[in-house]
Amino acid sequence: MSKSQQFARSRNFRKEIWAGHFLLVLLAYFAAGRIGLAIPYVNPNVSLIWLPTGIAVAGLLRYGRSMAFAIFLSVLLLEMSAGFSVLASVSLAIGNTLGPFLASWLLRKQFFRRDFSRRRDVIGFSLAVMAGMCISATGGVLTLWMHGLSKELSTVWLTWWAGDTVGALLAGPLLLSFSKQSLIELLQRRKEIIGFVLIFILANWLIFASPYSHLHLTFITVGIMIWAAMRFGISGASFAVLATSMFAAWASSHGMGPFYSGGQANLLILWAYMTTMVLITLIITALQTESIDATRQIQEAYQRINKVASRLPGLVMQYRIRPDHSASIPFASDAIVQLFEVTHAEVRDDALHLFSRIDSRDTETGTEVIREAMRNLSPWQSEFRLRRKDGSIRWLYLDGLPEPEPDGAMLWHCFVTDITERKQAEQDLRIAACTFESQEGIFVTDPDWAILRLNQAFTRITGYTADDLIGKRPPLHKNKQQSRAFFEDINASLAQYRYWHGELWSRRKNGEIYPQMITLTAITDNRGEVSNYICSFTDISRNKGYEAEIRNLAFYDSLTQLPNRRLLMDRLQHLISLSNRSESHSAILFIDLDNFKTLNDTRGHDAGDLLLIETASRLQTCVRDSDTVARLGGDEFVVVLEELSSIRDDALRQADRIAEKIRQLLSQPYQITDFEHHGSSSIGVCLFQGGDITVKDLFKRADTAMYEAKTAGRNAVRFFDPAMQAILVVRMLLESNLRIALINNQFQLYYQVQVNSDGKLIGAEALLRWVHPDRGFISPAEFIPLAEETGLIIPIGLWVLETACKQIKQWEDEPETRHLTLAVNVSAKQFQQADFVETLSEIIARHAIDATRLKIELTESTILDNVDATTEKMHQLKKLGIAFSMDDFGTGYSSLAYLQRLPLNQLKIDQSFVRDLSHDENDATIVRAIISLGVNLGLNVIAEGVETSAQRAFLIEHNCYAFQGYFFSKPLPLEGFLALLKAPQSNDIEQA
């Protein structure tokens, strides 16, 4: 369809609509006129209520001025149908058309609203109708007068004007407000409308048609009209007013109702009644509409304000402080949920609980600020910390304006924002400012390395000020390490990684060259292009010195300044690697100073340190510059000899010559402070060639050779021999088996009897035996020294004491053995344990034995190591009843002085003296001396190793009356010992 066709069709449609409106107005006016003519009042030509006027005004206002012709035509037809001439009908039609036309024109001028939603619309409509109806009444009266139809002009004019005005007031609002929507709204209240209609009919019957109509009950209608106005809108209320007015007019015309009196109707009161009902209804409706509109506008305004407030980056609220110091929040935007984690309803009447979540530090200062603001009616601005429900802290900023209220309260109009990010940014800025002015030198450049800014540390380190370098490149120092290629690599790293960190040599303002540790960072913009470089650095001149010192501490001995174990290992590893490409031999010498501990203990550690320093100095004079002298620790030194002969024998002779030179040099006297020290050394040498050996193996072999030198009597040189290693391996296996033996209970106690001169059994000595599951019996001479050296003698000795005490307890339960004593050998290392007395006391108490049956045998070396401590322990054990025997007496450095001090019970003559009594006079003399010494000191004397009757007779002759040896019995296991006891001759043991 073309645009012209669409336009033509639209135009035709508009014509049809206009024609429909024209016909509607014409017919409505004519019909209402016929009804009005049916209720004449003054004369047949004047009606009491002229409703067509309302239709005319409504038609003109709703459908436009073109409806004036429909009104004119309708009035013309109506008047002619009433019997008026054409001329009179035309004259009446003109007047009745101009009146509504003027009223509609006046209403349009004042922007009248057809829904009567404003009081001004009600008043304006009333005044416009009154003004317009003056023309209608004047035209109609003149027409009637000119045609001789009426002579009472004033009465007719008033009646005409009032009838038209009331008719317009009754019909106009109904027709102007009526619409499909209003009808739908009325139908939604159909139940209420039915009730209203019933009451309405009843009330009008009661007022106008009932026997009680003379009582003037018209006030009832007021309430009904108010009901209609409040509940049914302008359309329903207008219809109700029209209906009650028509009812009143009909009743008055038929001589009924309160408005009919004395044979005629009280016209003015009737009109006043109708007008009053109309105005009451319209005014109430307008007031209700205005109230609804105002409420809606307030709500819309509130919603707009709330919407605007919700879009703001913060909380808009009102905070009221009442005279009793309580607080409320009358208004708050939706942001209160986000900022304070409460709804507005929770704080509308009581907002004080919000303060419990404000930081106490801010509460005190904030209270003072708000008091000052209230006194001066000045703005209230405050920052405070709020603790959220999850425990986090948020910074809030409040800006409020005061408004005093009549009741003494203060209403604050506030805006609250979350400034946590700002606070964090401020903190970051402070940190950044402090960081920029830190102890590190910092400078910022542009993409071309021109300096833009530098800090005070930069000036302090380099001497350059901002005036010296702003706009210039930083000073650099070029050397072999910092060539052009070096700086190109830095630029490449910055281009790829935006970062470089390392050491640079730079130049101070005074020309001094110094090292710096610098970090360079490239800052890029949103396009990825470098916008700045940030550089931070520190002066590491002192650190360089520290590095050298740390290296010295890490790789050199602090006392002798010789290489330490770590550096020695590195050099040996390097030497082994080089040996793969060289045919020459190398050698490692392990050197241990003999009796160094004795010097430390007797002369102090200062003397020992001086000896070590002198030893290091002497060792360095014995080797070449290519060789290495190192200190492992304590009194151990290592010498590494390089580039010896490629022929093994020649290399051995070279190493031996140097080792012997070292031994001799270290054997020369040392002048240490105020005394002269004579020392010696044990040297182990290991020769090696090629890379078929590890550093660990070299150390092990040289240490083995050195141990062999010590075993040989010290002050010796020994070369590593595979046989040495085999011995060590056997020793290691023995040690391992020794530990297993202790765990698996492979040890046994053997018992060798002790008898007196009468051959009576007086006790036994407990002797330790090891029964290996594979090797069988292992000699104590083989494993006891190893146990002493490894410290295993302590747990083994503890087992011996436990077993011996257990055996004593068993003997106490038998009559034939309860008198026996049991001697147990205790090693020096075990006896010197700090808790030995407590341990033995606990064992004795646990087994509940008679301590006098236990005898401890100690060697002279045990006592001489620490005479005072040993004596104290012996006295403590003596109080328990334990007896002490000095074993192997005469083999050591016996001293009468300590014999007098020690609480000994017995001296035991060593079997080495007893064995040769018969043919060695020296041994016989020693034995006589020992017996004499013991007798004179009041000590018992027992001889071990007695194997012949001649030895026994000699000992008895010289007053020794206790014996032990193979002449009586060899050491026996517990079963054999018990069997010996039960033998018939057990109480009189003689050699068979």
Side-chain angles (χ1 to χ4, degrees):
M1 185 181 293
S2 64
K3 289 185 177 181
S4 58
Q5 290 175 333
Q6 291 178 353
F7 178 76
R9 185 172 181 178
S10 175
R11 186 174 181 181
N12 292 335
F13 180 75
R14 288 196 299 271
K15 286 182 178 179
E16 291 174 0
I17 292 297
W18 181 87
H21 291 162
F22 184 89
L23 184 60
L24 178 63
V25 172
L26 176 67
L27 294 176
Y29 193 100
F30 185 83
R34 293 303 304 173
I35 295 173
L37 292 176
I39 312 175
Y41 194 74
V42 177
N43 57 49
N45 300 311
V46 181
S47 297
L48 177 63
I49 302 173
W50 189 246
L51 295 178
T53 307
I55 296 173
V57 174
L60 289 169
L61 289 174
R62 293 193 68 159
Y63 307 129
R65 298 172 183 175
S66 60
M67 295 298 108
F69 180 69
I71 296 169
F72 175 80
L73 183 59
S74 180
V75 175
L76 180 64
L77 294 174
L78 184 64
E79 297 299 339
M80 290 177 66
S81 66
F84 286 98
S85 64
V86 174
L87 182 61
S89 298
V90 169
S91 178
L92 290 173
I94 293 174
N96 286 340
T97 302
L98 290 178
F101 190 87
L102 175 63
S104 63
W105 179 81
L106 291 175
L107 290 173
R108 285 196 179 96
K109 285 293 183 180
Q110 62 182 0
F111 303 103
F112 169 74
R113 293 181 181 177
R114 296 184 326 188
D115 57 359
F116 293 88
S117 59
R118 299 174 299 181
R119 284 169 291 175
R120 57 175 291 186
D121 295 329
V122 175
I123 297 173
F125 182 80
S126 301
L127 294 177
V129 167
M130 290 179 182
M133 296 312 105
C134 290
I135 295 177
S136 297
T138 302
V141 170
L142 289 176
T143 300
L144 293 176
W145 177 72
M146 290 175 60
H147 289 81
L149 298 176
S150 178
K151 296 181 179 179
E152 298 178 4
L153 297 181
S154 59
T155 302
V156 172
W157 186 92
L158 180 61
T159 303
W160 195 302
W161 175 81
D164 284 358
T165 300
V166 172
L169 291 176
L170 291 174
L174 175 62
L175 297 176
L176 287 173
S177 64
F178 186 79
S179 64
K180 183 178 179 180
Q181 180 63 32
S182 63
L183 180 62
I184 292 173
E185 291 176 355
L186 287 173
L187 291 177
Q188 290 176 349
R189 299 176 179 272
R190 60 173 62 90
K191 292 183 179 180
E192 186 178 359
I193 289 175
I194 292 173
F196 174 81
V197 169
L198 294 176
I199 295 174
F200 177 83
I201 294 173
L202 177 62
N204 280 278
W205 174 81
L206 184 64
I207 296 170
F208 297 105
S210 72
Y212 307 103
S213 60
H214 63 282
L215 298 177
H216 300 285
L217 300 176
T218 53
F219 63 88
I220 298 176
T221 312
V222 176
I224 295 176
M225 293 302 105
I226 292 175
W227 180 6
M230 294 292 292
R231 298 293 297 168
F232 306 131
I234 186 69
S235 298
S238 298
F239 184 82
V241 172
L242 176 62
T244 192
S245 297
M246 295 300 295
F247 203 93
W250 174 82
S252 298
S253 65
H254 287 77
M256 295 183 295
F259 302 114
Y260 183 83
S261 178
Q264 63 178 357
N266 195 335
L267 187 59
L268 293 178
I269 297 176
L270 179 60
W271 281 333
Y273 169 76
M274 295 179 181
T275 303
T276 301
M277 292 298 102
V278 171
L279 292 179
I280 288 175
T281 304
L282 292 179
I283 290 295
I284 291 176
T285 305
L287 286 173
Q288 186 177 16
T289 304
E290 286 183 351
S291 176
I292 294 173
D293 287 343
T295 302
R296 179 180 52 79
Q297 290 175 4
I298 291 173
Q299 290 177 346
E300 290 177 353
Y302 179 84
Q303 292 173 356
R304 285 195 298 271
I305 292 173
N306 202 22
K307 186 178 294 185
V308 171
S310 64
R311 298 297 189 276
L312 293 175
L315 167 66
V316 178
M317 73 173 191
Q318 290 179 318
Y319 180 68
R320 176 178 285 118
I321 301 177
R322 305 186 185 97
D324 60 356
H325 302 296
S326 61
S328 63
I329 298 180
F331 169 80
S333 63
D334 295 339
I336 193 171
V337 176
Q338 180 180 358
L339 257 64
F340 288 100
E341 297 181 296
V342 296
T343 62
H344 181 215
E346 293 174 340
V347 293
R348 180 181 286 111
D349 299 321
D350 181 12
L352 287 180
H353 61 87
L354 284 180
F355 286 95
S356 62
R357 293 166 52 196
I358 297 177
D359 193 289
S360 57
R361 295 168 292 181
D362 302 324
T363 302
E364 184 176 350
T365 57
T367 303
E368 189 61 33
V369 169
I370 192 173
R371 287 174 179 172
E372 184 67 22
M374 290 177 67
R375 284 194 295 268
N376 301 326
L377 292 180
S378 58
W380 170 26
Q381 296 173 336
S382 179
E383 295 179 355
F384 57 92
R385 282 158 288 193
L386 181 74
R387 185 177 67 257
R388 295 179 65 83
K389 294 180 179 179
D390 60 2
S392 61
I393 301 296
R394 304 292 293 182
W395 274 97
L396 302 182
Y397 173 77
L398 183 146
D399 192 351
L401 293 175
E403 179 185 342
E405 294 186 321
D407 61 352
M410 183 66 72
L411 182 65
W412 293 92
H413 304 278
C414 305
F415 184 69
V416 184
T417 54
D418 189 328
I419 59 170
T420 305
E421 284 73 18
R422 192 194 80 189
K423 282 288 187 179
Q424 185 62 46
E426 292 175 355
Q427 181 68 12
D428 293 343
L429 287 174
R430 283 193 294 270
I431 293 174
C434 293
T435 301
F436 190 77
E437 292 300 337
S438 66
Q439 297 304 309
E440 290 187 354
I442 301 176
F443 61 97
V444 183
T445 74
D446 63 11
D448 298 323
W449 291 99
I451 294 178
L452 302 175
R453 185 180 177 187
L454 52 85
N455 67 353
Q456 295 296 322
F458 184 100
T459 301
R460 186 183 68 254
I461 295 172
T462 66
Y464 290 102
T465 64
D467 294 337
D468 297 329
L469 293 179
I470 294 299
K472 300 178 183 178
R473 288 183 167 231
L476 296 176
H477 175 68
K478 293 184 179 181
N479 53 28
K480 292 181 179 180
Q481 292 79 22
Q482 296 185 176
S483 60
R484 179 182 295 274
F486 175 77
F487 290 107
E488 288 177 353
D489 290 341
I490 293 177
N491 288 327
S493 177
L494 287 171
Q496 183 177 0
Y497 304 110
R498 308 300 189 197
Y499 174 84
W500 186 84
H501 177 77
E503 293 185 10
L504 282 179
W505 288 92
S506 188
R507 185 179 66 253
R508 304 189 204 272
K509 187 175 182 180
N510 60 9
E512 178 187 352
I513 304 301
Y514 71 100
Q516 59 180 210
M517 181 64 70
I518 190 168
T519 299
L520 307 176
T521 305
I523 306 301
T524 57
D525 56 20
N526 53 6
R527 295 175 297 178
E529 298 179 358
V530 176
S531 59
N532 297 94
Y533 292 102
I534 298 179
C535 315
S536 61
F537 65 92
T538 55
D539 185 349
I540 59 173
S541 302
R542 185 177 298 177
N543 294 358
K544 287 291 186 180
Y546 290 155
E547 286 180 8
E549 185 176 347
I550 291 170
R551 178 176 178 80
N552 186 66
L553 291 173
F555 294 104
Y556 290 88
D557 177 51
S558 59
L559 179 64
T560 63
Q561 299 305 311
L562 293 177
N564 61 12
R565 179 185 290 269
R566 179 182 295 177
L567 183 55
L568 175 64
M569 300 280 280
D570 290 343
R571 290 187 179 181
L572 275 175
Q573 188 62 52
H574 181 66
L575 180 59
I576 292 173
S577 301
L578 292 178
S579 297
N580 290 325
R581 301 187 296 271
S582 175
E583 296 181 355
S584 61
H585 286 80
S586 299
I588 179 172
L589 284 66
F590 259 44
I591 303 165
D592 186 85
L593 301 183
D594 298 330
N595 301 317
F596 178 74
K597 183 177 183 300
T598 303
L599 175 65
N600 259 345
D601 293 343
T602 57
R603 295 289 185 172
H605 290 281
D606 291 340
D609 290 345
L610 292 175
L611 176 63
L612 294 174
I613 294 171
E614 179 62 22
T615 300
S617 178
R618 292 184 183 186
L619 287 174
Q620 287 176 313
T621 63
C622 298
V623 297
R624 302 161 297 174
D625 292 339
S626 59
D627 300 328
T628 299
V629 179
R631 181 189 175 204
L632 291 185
D635 60 342
E636 294 182 340
F637 294 85
V638 173
V639 175
V640 179
L641 304 178
E642 301 182 27
E643 297 181 359
L644 300 179
S645 175
S646 59
I647 301 172
R648 181 175 178 79
D649 292 341
D650 293 342
L652 284 170
R653 284 191 291 271
Q654 291 173 345
D656 182 59
R657 185 171 61 252
I658 297 174
E660 186 60 28
K661 179 181 177 181
I662 291 173
R663 188 193 65 77
Q664 292 177 4
L665 187 59
L666 297 183
S667 297
Q668 295 178 7
Y670 294 84
Q671 185 63 42
I672 299 177
T673 60
D674 58 347
F675 69 96
E676 187 176 75
H677 173 72
H678 294 271
S680 63
S681 60
S682 299
I683 304 173
V685 185
C686 178
L687 200 68
F688 64 96
Q689 180 189 33
D692 58 347
I693 191 170
T694 64
V695 174
K696 183 178 181 181
D697 290 336
L698 275 179
F699 271 61
K700 187 184 298 182
R701 293 179 180 182
D703 186 59
T704 301
M706 186 269 291
Y707 181 79
E708 182 65 21
K710 281 191 172 294
T711 305
R714 301 180 180 178
N715 194 22
V717 177
R718 290 291 185 271
F719 279 78
F720 173 76
D721 186 348
M724 298 178 186
Q725 186 66 25
I727 294 172
L728 287 179
V729 170
V730 171
R731 182 175 178 273
M732 290 172 59
L733 289 174
L734 185 62
E735 179 183 345
S736 176
N737 289 335
L738 193 60
R739 296 180 186 276
I740 295 173
L742 184 61
I743 296 172
N744 295 338
N745 199 23
Q746 296 175 6
F747 293 110
Q748 294 183 14
L749 282 186
Y750 275 49
Y751 302 90
Q752 189 172 30
V753 298
Q754 295 177 342
V755 299
N756 58 17
S757 58
D758 297 329
K760 301 295 185 180
L761 184 63
I762 60 175
E765 179 182 2
L767 299 173
L768 183 64
R769 295 292 184 265
W770 179 10
V771 183
H772 194 276
D774 298 325
R775 295 176 57 187
F777 279 94
I778 299 177
S779 171
E782 184 178 351
F783 71 83
I784 291 297
L786 181 60
E788 290 275 2
E789 183 178 343
T790 59
L792 288 173
I793 194 64
I794 296 174
I796 292 174
L798 183 61
W799 178 86
V800 171
L801 287 172
E802 285 274 5
T803 306
C805 290
K806 181 179 179 182
Q807 189 59 56
I808 291 174
K809 183 62 177 176
Q810 292 177 358
W811 286 352
E812 289 180 353
D813 296 336
E814 301 295 334
E816 62 272 15
T817 56
R818 65 179 55 165
H819 67 283
L820 297 179
T821 62
L822 186 59
V824 178
N825 290 282
V826 175
S827 72
K829 185 169 291 187
Q830 182 182 5
F831 193 80
Q832 289 167 1
Q833 294 295 305
D835 60 345
F836 178 76
V837 174
E838 291 77 7
T839 302
L840 183 53
S841 300
E842 190 272 332
I843 293 173
I844 292 173
R846 179 156 31 88
H847 290 284
I849 66 170
D850 182 1
T852 60
R853 299 301 174 189
L854 177 64
K855 181 168 58 179
I856 294 178
E857 294 189 357
L858 301 175
T859 61
E860 290 184 65
S861 60
T862 303
I863 299 170
L864 286 174
D865 282 343
N866 192 335
V867 177
D868 294 335
T870 301
T871 303
E872 176 63 26
K873 288 182 179 180
M874 291 175 68
H875 279 293
Q876 292 178 17
L877 295 173
K878 191 78 171 179
K879 294 178 181 179
L880 298 176
I882 298 173
F884 288 93
S885 175
M886 180 173 286
D887 194 15
D888 301 335
F889 185 76
T891 60
Y893 301 95
S894 302
S895 170
L896 295 177
Y898 71 73
L899 282 177
Q900 289 180 330
R901 294 172 54 190
L902 295 174
L904 291 170
N905 299 88
Q906 187 181 70
L907 294 180
K908 195 171 199 179
I909 304 173
D910 188 69
Q911 61 180 347
S912 62
F913 301 128
V914 176
R915 186 181 303 116
D916 298 327
L917 278 177
S918 302
H919 53 272
D920 190 335
E921 184 59 30
N922 290 329
D923 285 346
T925 302
I926 292 173
V927 170
R928 286 193 294 266
I930 293 173
I931 296 173
S932 177
L933 178 63
V935 171
N936 291 328
L937 291 175
L939 302 175
N940 294 326
V941 180
I942 186 171
E944 66 176 351
V946 178
E947 298 179 354
T948 65
S949 58
Q951 293 170 348
R952 175 175 178 272
F954 177 88
L955 292 170
I956 293 174
E957 180 182 356
H958 293 88
N959 301 317
C960 177
Y961 304 111
F963 319 101
Q964 175 183 342
Y966 277 24
F967 180 74
F968 307 99
S969 174
K970 63 180 181 180
L972 298 172
L974 181 60
E975 295 80 4
F977 184 78
L978 294 177
L980 180 64
L981 291 178
K982 294 179 180 179
Q985 71 274 25
S986 60
N987 292 326
D988 250 328
I989 297 179
E990 298 286 350
Q991 181 67 22

